[in-house]
């Protein structure tokens, strides 16, 4: 027996797309994965991660090359492999009308788990996922994070020889994400399980023994996280902005200087960046213009960004949208553009949003954060006028959008959580429609369409449903900004898109905010909260905290480390513990 | 591994399908309530039997002999005469849809009749050809009868000797259309339950991504197909019982063949249409397309081209070829024979044989669409 | 002006979404085309090749003459010549023959003796309407034979059928298809239009634009109505030129009727769509609705044969009046005054369903 679970030699797989022609998803890839370890596949959209996973699971036949999983040739005998592995697809297919217990039973029956093992296994799974209380609840009624945990539990009803997880944490809040990883880690430690996981989160990849970085169907690099991280050695710094300067403005300035700077993100009130190894010291000093910098410990994310940027330059990749995207707005007065007072929303007996109040000022980037099912989407929908409030006062640009005359809605833009444009229409047709619906006509409409097409680097004749995730997101943004709204609502706009696209997205958001556009955004990527002026954290319908990222971190206390992710978890857990003890006391 | 695994997986999957079916109320609405509504609508709503057809009788001559002759129209349930005196009035009634026919008694009728060449004019609204032909027959018959009675009494013979027609209609002496529509109803209900309900099943699993999760388990495609058939077979069986009870007690249609053959052939056809629905579902992988296709290739043809109302002996060869390719056509002929004619073995055996082949082919084809590959 | 421009944008988007790819275009028009051709040829009550068998035990000049006349009509087609009466049952039971004509050995003797000479006609009654028709045909042929032999009846009834002189059932059925086939799909199209947007999330996107519910309603209704009318036109052309059924009425009146009818049907569809949360629900509701609508419309059997209570229910069925209107304009050449009543229920249905749908767009809780 060898100590390898997967060996692939020169794997190739392409698909025929009626619109684009042949798409090569996996292109001559060779890989070998060791037993009893956590292995990560990372890469941007279209890297071929999912195709590769499906080939491992025997769902897709490689067109050429050899692939052996657990010592079996998958193409020859997929069923024997499937009998020994467990695979969790990106969207695990739970039966939504069956209860949690029934879903578990079904998969246990299908895997032929003997009754005596079953009780022990279920008990453990339910305990680890913290779902013992919900066994009777239909799977469709669970929150996104819980569904994902249940999916993992169903995948793990028996001990497989190899576990494949395809982006298990997309759209999952930090708490559920942490729980998911706890389960996986425990199985690796206790049972010596072999796991291959594909992910867009670098903190997840960092936990793995081996990391494979893929792009466009090819392997860019591989090694232990430490080996990969060392690529960024000596290039990583933190820049400390002058007082009064928002970190995101400094970050924006840095990331625009692409000759000198590989990547920059705001963090903890500072801007962290990676300099180009070839960057001239003098130029760098000019760029920073007297701002203090200090070297910082390199991280896996830095190495990953370096690899992607190198690749992008080789491919002469599409440059991200920057520049002025909004109409410059005069800051009128200090009056807030959004006023929320005692907002309540109930669905039957269930209180989705409990008495909530906050204001948002013009030109502010306001982040709504919270675990899955915390009520942030409900709050968001009430603000946009899509859902009536049960009680309370609500004002957006001086009006309640639900009751205001239709024209009032022309002042807001809205980008939905999942891609919500007409997927069988082309990019131009979508823009023409929404422009028309917002009352743009003739030359004005034509000009605006030309402008946004340029800004977002979109191909007008592409069919929108066929676009890669990052481009879909750009189109959604282009549509939301076509009529130059004063307020932009963004519901998890970056969920499921890769780091490069996220950087470009935020660069545009900060540019917009500079022109005076007010932005309300929800997100699961806690590091993105660093771009916001203020954030609000909701849980179980209640507003836990509102403040600048710095204030939120301060309130979370030191115990939480200094990333936003840790702060978020600390705030939510503190609140949950408090309310539990209050319940006990009562 | 193999043998017992097959059974236990099959049970698990069947339990899952049954639970899903029972939890989605719309399934039960289409599966149980709609058939009930259909039975009642078909039984009561569809009828070719003309009753109380309105005949505008224009009496330009009103001698006693005339009145006696047309009085025959009163004596039948089929017709209901409206007495008028002018032709334009009657024509207006036809145009306004207030009468189906005009019977015109010309002014010289009595004189002509005495000379043996009496002529009555019957004008029909031919739009509904079926109804108008029936009215033609009823009116002609009623008047001839009345005149014959008259002749018998006055001892003059109107009718000469000659060839007479003695008609014997087998299987449906009274020509009651309910008798031939109700057995056909079983075909439609079985098609509906089978093809429409199941056409969503596999497509739904593709759309929701549940199939990909099942594929990595040791489940074999055949187990999936069988587990999806089972619960709907039971729904179909309940519908069959409803149909049979309605046929027997509500519509009083005789069942001249054996009950077990009716049940056997119905269940076999149910299997065929379940298979057809599943196959459509597996091929399209899209709920919308699947239900459209189910409607277009199973239900509409079963209603229009299977011999349900339209006699296949009358249609052009090209259409016959198509209708012979429909499983519904063969089941229709078997079920009508069993209900009205009895156990006529050549028809029954031929029909059952064809249906068995269809069932086998469809289940095999469905199982192929589920081969564990995503490409 | 702005109002119209916004509306135009919406309608253009709807039409693009419906007609964009060739396969969805095909799905819209091919079924109507095929069904019109297929049902037009297949759905007939008329006897054309009625198979029959003969058992001529008389073998006389008279029996031969009668059989020749039967063949001469072109309606009947002999499939078997039998030798003895035990073969009759097989022919009828198998459904091979619609009728068996039997002349007994003493037929010729009776006839020449001046007595009544019976001809036995054994019919397969499984399909009562064909059996009835065949029986009537045989009777009329015999009557004609008798008349030619000099047995002139003192009374003749001269029947004339208006609007459909040859009693062709196709004439009755096909114009009804102009309304019913197009309804099948317009109802589905309208029913899915909002449900699809809800499911794909685009309805939210639509609701945050300045479009008013009325604009959304018109924007959703018009494309479906247009598609429905286009389908009706295809079927109309097939009926008129392929099947050659003459149009007696005014085309504009038929279209006025079709527009009203399609609007009512689309109103019904949009109401379903506004209630349904998913496409699956919308399809199911449509399907459940379509069956009774078809059955209670007079498409297959006349409304007036139904029990009274069902006849009352048909007043809520747009298809009943759509079919009635098209049939009467097409075949009877009815004028506006003749069919004006048909417009009343159609307009009433549209006046209820369309505003209801618009209200539901915004007030349906999701």
């Amino acid at each position: 027996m060898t100590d390898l679970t997967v060996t692939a030699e020169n794997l190739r797989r392409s698909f025929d797309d009626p619109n684009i022609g042949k798409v090569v998803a996996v292109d001559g890839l060779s890989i070998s994965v060791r037993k009893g370890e956590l292995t990560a596949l990372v890469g941007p959209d279209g890297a071929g991660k999912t195709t590769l996973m499906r080939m491992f699971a025997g769902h897709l036949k490689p067109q050429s090359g050899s692939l052996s999983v657990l010592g079996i040739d998958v193409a020859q005998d997929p069923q024997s492999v499937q009998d020994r592995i467990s695979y969790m697809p990106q969207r695990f297919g739970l039966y939504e009308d069956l209860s949690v217990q029934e879903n578990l039973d079904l998969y246990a029956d299908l895997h032929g788990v003997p009754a005596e093992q079953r009780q022990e296994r279920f008990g453990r799974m339910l305990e680890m996922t913290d779902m013992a209380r919900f066994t009777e609840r239909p799977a469709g009624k669970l929150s996104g994070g819980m569904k994902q945990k249940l999916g993992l539990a169903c995948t793990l009803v028996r001990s497989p020889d190899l576990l494949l997880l395809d982006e298990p944490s997309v759209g999952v809040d930090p708490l559920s994400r942490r729980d998911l990883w706890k389960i996986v880690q425990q199985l690796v430690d206790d049972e010596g399980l072999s796991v291959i996981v594909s992910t867009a989160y670098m903190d997840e990849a960092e936990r793995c023994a081996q990391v494979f970085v893929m792009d466009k169907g090819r392997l860019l690099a591989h090694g232990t996280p430490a080996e990969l991280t060392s690529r960024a050695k000596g290039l990583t710094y933190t820049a400390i902005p002058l007082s009064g300067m928002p970190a995101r403005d400094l970050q924006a300035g840095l990331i625009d200087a692409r000759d000198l700077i590989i990547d920059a993100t705001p963090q903890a009130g500072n801007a962290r960046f990676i300099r180009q190894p070839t960057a001239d010291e003098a130029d760098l000093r000019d760029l920073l213009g007297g701002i203090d910098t200090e070297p910082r410990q390199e991280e896996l994310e830095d190495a990953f960004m370096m690899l992607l940027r190198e690749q992008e330059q080789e491919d002469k990749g599409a440059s991200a949208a920057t520049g002025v995207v909004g109409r410059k707005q005069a800051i009128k007065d200090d009056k807030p553009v959004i006023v929320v007072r005692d907002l309540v929303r109930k669905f039957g007996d269930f209180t989705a949003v409990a008495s909530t109040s906050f204001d948002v000022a013009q030109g502010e980037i306001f982040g709504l954060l919270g675990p899955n099912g915390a009520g942030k989407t409900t709050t968001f929908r009430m603000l946009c006028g899509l859902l009536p409030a049960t009680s309370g006062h609500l004002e957006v640009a001086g009006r309640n959008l639900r009751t205001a005359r239709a024209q009032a809605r022309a002042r807001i833009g809205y980008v939905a959580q999942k891609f919500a444009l007409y997927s069988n229409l082309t990019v131009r047709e979508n823009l023409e429609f929404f422009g028309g619906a917002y009352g743009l006509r003739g030359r004005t409409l034509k000009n605006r369409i030309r402008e946004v097409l340029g800004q977002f680097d979109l191909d007008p004749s592409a069919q929108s449903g066929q676009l890669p995730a990052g481009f879909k997101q750009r189109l959604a943004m282009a549509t939301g900004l076509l009529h130059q709204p004063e307020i932009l609502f963004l519901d998890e706009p970056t969920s499921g898109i890769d780091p490069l696209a996220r950087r470009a997205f935020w660069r545009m958001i900060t540019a917009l905010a500079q022109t005076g556009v007010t932005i309300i955004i929800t997100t699961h990527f806690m590091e993105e909260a660093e771009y916001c002026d203020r954030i609000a954290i909701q849980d179980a319908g209640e507003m836990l905290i509102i403040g600048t990222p710095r204030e939120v971190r301060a309130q979370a206390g030191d115990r939480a480390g200094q990333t936003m992710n840790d702060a978020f978890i600390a705030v939510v857990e503190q609140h949950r513990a408090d309310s539990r003890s209050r319940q006990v006391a009562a | 591994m193999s043998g017992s695994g097959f059974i236990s997986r099959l049970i698990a999957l069947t339990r899952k399908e049954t639970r899903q079916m029972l939890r989605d109320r719309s399934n039960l609405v289409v599966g149980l309530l709609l058939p009930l509504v259909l039975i009642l609508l078909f039984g009561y709503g569809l009828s070719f039997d003309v009753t109380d057809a309105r005949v505008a009788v224009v009496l330009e001559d009103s001698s006693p002999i005339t009145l006696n002759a047309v009085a025959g129209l009163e004596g039948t349930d089929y017709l209901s005469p409206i007495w008028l005196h002018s032709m334009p009035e009657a024509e207006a009634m036809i145009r306004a849809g207030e009468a189906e026919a005009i019977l015109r008694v010309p002014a010289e009728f009595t004189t002509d009749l005495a000379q043996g060449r009496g002529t009555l004019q019957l004008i029909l609204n031919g739009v509904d050809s079926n109804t108008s032909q029936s009215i033609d027959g009823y009116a002609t018959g009623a008047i001839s009868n009345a005149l014959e009675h008259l002749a018998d009494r006055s001892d003059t013979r109107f009718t000469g000797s000659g060839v007479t027609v003695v008609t014997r209609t087998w299987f449906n002496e009274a020509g009651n259309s309910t008798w031939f529509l109700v057995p056909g109803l079983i075909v439609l209900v079985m098609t509906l339950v089978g093809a429409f309900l199941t056409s969503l099943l596999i497509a739904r699993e593709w759309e929701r991504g549940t199939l990909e999760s099942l594929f990595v388990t040791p489940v074999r495609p055949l187990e999936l197909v069988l587990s999806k058939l089972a619960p709907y077979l039971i729904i179909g069986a309940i519908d069959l019982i409803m149909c049979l009870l309605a046929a027997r007690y509500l519509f009083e249609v005789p069942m001249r063949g054996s009950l077990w053959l009716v049940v056997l052939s119905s269940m076999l056809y149910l299997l065929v249409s379940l298979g057809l629905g599943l196959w459509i579902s597996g091929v399209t992988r899209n709920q919308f397309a699947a239900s459209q296709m189910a409607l277009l290739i199973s239900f509409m043809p079963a209603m229009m081209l299977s011999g349900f109302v339209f006699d296949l002996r009358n249609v052009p060869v090209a259409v016959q070829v198509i209708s012979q390719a429909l499983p519904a056509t063969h089941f229709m002929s078997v079920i009508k024979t069993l209900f009205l004619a009895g156990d006529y073995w050549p028809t029954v055996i031929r029909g059952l044989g064809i249906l068995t082949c269809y069932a086998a082919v469809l289940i095999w084809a469905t199982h192929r669409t589920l081969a564990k590959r995503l490409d | 002006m702005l109002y119209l421009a916004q509306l135009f944008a919406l309608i253009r988007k709807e039409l693009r979404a419906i007609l964009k790819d060739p396969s969805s275009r095909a799905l819209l028009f091919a079924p109507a085309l095929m069904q019109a051709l297929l049902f037009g040829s297949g759905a007939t009550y008329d006897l054309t090749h009625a198979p029959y068998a003969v058992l001529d035990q008389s073998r006389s000049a008279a029996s031969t003459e009668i059989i020749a006349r039967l063949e001469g009509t072109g309606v009947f087609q002999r499939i078997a010549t039998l030798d003895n009466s035990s073969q009759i049952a097989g022919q009828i039971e198998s459904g091979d023959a619609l009728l068996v004509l039997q002349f007994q050995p003493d037929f010729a003797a009776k006839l020449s003796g001046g007595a009544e000479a019976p001809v036995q006609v054994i019919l397969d009654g499984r399909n009562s309407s064909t059996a009835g028709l065949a029986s009537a045909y045989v009777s009329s042929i015999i009557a004609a034979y008798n008349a030619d032999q000099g047995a002139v009846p003192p009374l003749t009834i001269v029947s004339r059928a208006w609007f459909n002189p040859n009693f062709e059932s196709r004439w009755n059925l096909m114009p009804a298809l102009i309304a019913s086939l197009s309804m099948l799909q317009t109802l589905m199209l309208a029913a899915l239009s909002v449900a699809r947007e809800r499911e794909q999330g685009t309805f939210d996107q639509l609701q945050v634009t300045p479009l008013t519910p009325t604009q959304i309603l018109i924007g959703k209704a018009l494309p479906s109505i247009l598609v429905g009318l286009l389908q009706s036109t295809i079927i109309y052309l097939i009926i008129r030129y392929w099947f050659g059924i003459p149009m007696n009425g005014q085309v504009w009146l038929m279209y006025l009727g079709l527009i009203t009818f399609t609007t009512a049907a689309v109103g019904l569809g949009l109401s379903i769509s506004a209630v349904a949360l998913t496409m699956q629900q919308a399809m199911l509701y449509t399907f459940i609705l379509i069956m009774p609508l078809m059955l209670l419309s007079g498409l297959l059997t006349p409304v007036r044969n139904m029990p009274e209570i069902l006849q009352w229910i048909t007043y809520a069925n747009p298809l009943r009046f759509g079919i009635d209107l098209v049939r009467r304009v097409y075949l009877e050449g009815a004028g506006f005054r003749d069919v004006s009543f048909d417009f009343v229920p159609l307009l009433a249905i549209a006046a209820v369903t369309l505003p209801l749908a618009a209200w539901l767009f915004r007030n349906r809780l999701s």
Side-chain angles (χ1 to χ4, degrees), chain C residues 39-348:
Chain C
F39 298 160
S41 335
T44 169
Y45 298 111
D46 308 331
L47 295 184
T48 44
H49 311 283
Y52 78 105
V54 174
L55 174 58
D56 185 1
Q57 292 163 317
S58 147
R59 296 180 197 284
S60 59
S63 65
T64 315
E65 163 81 17
I66 290 173
I67 294 168
R69 280 175 181 246
L70 205 64
E71 303 248 297
T73 58
V75 170
F76 295 96
Q77 198 169 17
R78 195 195 308 192
I79 53 153
T81 307
L82 310 180
D83 302 321
N84 60 64
S85 52
S86 64
Q87 292 168 326
I88 296 176
Q91 289 293 329
I92 296 288
E93 279 173 350
S94 65
D96 289 343
L98 175 60
L99 64 89
V100 175
L101 205 61
Q102 183 187 11
F103 297 92
Q104 267 149 356
D106 57 356
F107 174 73
K110 278 185 178 164
L111 191 60
S112 52
E116 289 189 359
V119 180
Q120 312 278 342
V121 179
I122 299 108
L123 289 151
D124 173 5
R126 269 172 288 195
N127 186 326
S128 59
S129 70
T130 0
L133 270 179
S135 154
Y137 259 114
V138 175
S139 298
S140 66
I141 289 163
I142 304 275
Y145 172 81
N146 283 341
D148 289 351
Q149 299 308 307
V152 183
L155 172 73
T156 45
I157 297 176
V158 185
S159 302
R160 261 194 309 136
W162 284 4
F163 317 129
N164 183 3
N166 301 320
F167 295 108
E168 285 186 50
S169 63
R170 179 178 294 146
W171 286 34
N172 181 35
L173 188 81
M174 297 288 307
L177 290 183
I178 297 180
S180 48
L181 282 188
S182 70
M183 190 190 75
L184 253 182
Q185 281 194 303
T186 40
L187 200 63
M188 191 71 99
L189 204 60
L192 288 175
S193 67
V194 178
R196 179 187 289 126
E197 294 220 19
R198 252 193 235 281
E199 193 168 301
Q200 295 177 349
T202 49
F203 203 60
D204 282 353
Q205 198 80 52
L206 205 60
Q207 285 198 323
V208 297
T209 67
L211 293 170
T212 63
T214 319
Q215 281 174 315
I216 296 179
L217 178 77
I218 300 173
K220 289 270 161 201
L222 266 184
S224 299
I225 293 175
L226 283 178
V227 169
L229 288 177
L230 209 57
Q231 288 195 342
S232 294
T233 306
I234 293 175
I235 302 166
Y236 165 64
L237 293 175
I238 291 177
I239 292 172
R240 178 121 188 225
Y241 297 106
W242 177 272
F243 291 105
I245 301 175
M247 167 78 173
N248 291 323
Q250 288 135 321
V251 176
W252 69 265
L253 182 59
M254 185 180 80
Y255 270 91
L256 186 68
L258 281 173
I259 290 169
T260 322
F261 161 71
T262 315
T263 310
V266 165
L268 217 54
L270 285 178
S271 300
I272 294 177
S273 203
V275 171
L277 288 176
T278 61
M279 287 170 72
Q280 197 196 342
Q281 277 183 8
M283 273 184 305
L284 225 56
Y285 294 156
T286 315
F287 189 71
I288 291 173
L289 203 63
I290 275 181
M291 303 305 312
L293 288 184
M294 289 285 204
L295 289 175
L296 296 179
S297 67
L299 173 67
L300 294 176
T301 64
V303 172
R304 50 181 312 283
N305 290 1
M306 294 173 193
E308 196 139 345
I309 182 155
L310 286 184
Q311 290 197 34
W312 277 105
I313 294 175
T314 61
Y315 278 91
N317 181 0
L319 189 57
R320 176 195 164 169
F321 298 98
I323 286 182
D324 190 65
L325 204 146
V326 173
R327 256 186 196 155
R328 289 177 58 196
V329 173
Y330 195 110
L331 295 172
E332 299 178 13
F336 182 72
R337 286 181 49 198
D338 297 319
V339 292
S340 54
F341 173 72
D342 283 336
F343 283 94
V344 178
L346 290 177
L347 289 172

Side-chain angles (χ1 to χ4, degrees), chain A residues 509-530:
Chain A
I509 293 296
T510 49
L512 269 175
Q514 278 167 348
T515 64
V517 177
T518 311
I519 287 151
I520 314 292
I521 187 166
T522 68
T523 179
H524 278 318
F525 290 96
M526 290 306 133
E527 67 270 24
E528 293 184 348
E530 305 272 8

Side-chain angles (χ1 to χ4, degrees), chain A residues 429-485:
Chain A
E429 285 165 347
N430 264 302
L431 290 172
E432 275 173 358
F433 165 59
F434 282 102
Y438 278 102
L440 301 180
R441 272 179 287 167
R443 188 177 296 278
T444 331
L445 179 60
K446 259 205 196 105
N447 288 339
R448 276 305 290 157
I449 290 180
R450 209 182 45 234
E451 281 167 36
V452 296
L453 284 175
Q455 272 167 19
F456 291 92
D457 192 32
L458 287 163
D459 170 13
S461 57
Q463 190 167 330
S464 18
Q466 309 277 347
L467 293 171
F471 277 83
K472 276 186 181 163
Q473 202 274 331
R474 286 191 201 180
L475 175 58
M477 283 296 291
T479 311
L481 288 171
L482 197 58
H483 58 292
Q484 297 173 302

